[in-house]
Amino acid sequence: MNFSIKTIFLLLFFVASNLVFADKIAGATKVKGMAEIMKAGNKDFKNLRPGSILDDGDKIRTGKSGFVAIIFIDDKSTLKIKENSEAVITGRRTTKDISKKINMDGGTIRASITKQNVDFVIQTPTSVASVKGTDFWMLVDELLGDQVIGIEGQVSLVNTETGQEVMVTTGMTGNSTPDGQIGLSETDVSSIPEDP
């Protein structure tokens, strides 16, 4: 009888903790300059501070000289969001992983992604980048399109206009334009953004 009460208590605790933390997907580890967050369901931005917890659907915006580093709580993958960027961070939990999707309207991010058992997608108005485990930069410009610079591993870059795909690997750069063009070239080292 005593064993079953402990078992029921542990089961209830597990279910309750999953409900409490269900929307928590990441934390801000570093914040510099102008960096703001709009919590999911709100309409106003507030200053983002180091240690802030990010929920499913939170929007991050950086201004001139702004920078934010976030870490996902399930696998320690990181995103570095540079100045003049805007991104909505979403995540759907499975039993032990978080399926991640970043919606970017513009700006620059560096993604260092550990090997994934679930989806990790960055979507822009022009492209979709899907990764399983890699390190890359993504530069998003609403007028010029997207650029993915492969640092390590590989990234699938798909143009949403045409559905064409290129695999961006280490030392290569993929380009995807709003008019449907997609291409791959060797990375010009001078085009790699400075890592804060």
Side-chain angles (χ1 to χ4, degrees), residues 33-36 61-67 82-85:
M34 200 284 264
E36 299 176 311
R61 178 172 71 184
T62 58
K64 187 175 181 183
S65 76
F67 171 78
K82 292 195 68 170
E83 64 183 7
N84 301 320
S85 299

Side-chain angles (χ1 to χ4, degrees), residues 139-158:
L139 292 74
V140 179
D141 185 298
E142 195 174 345
L143 299 175
L144 301 176
D146 304 329
Q147 190 175 53
V148 172
I149 301 171
I151 305 297
E152 185 180 306
Q154 64 180 18
V155 181
S156 162
L157 179 64
V158 177

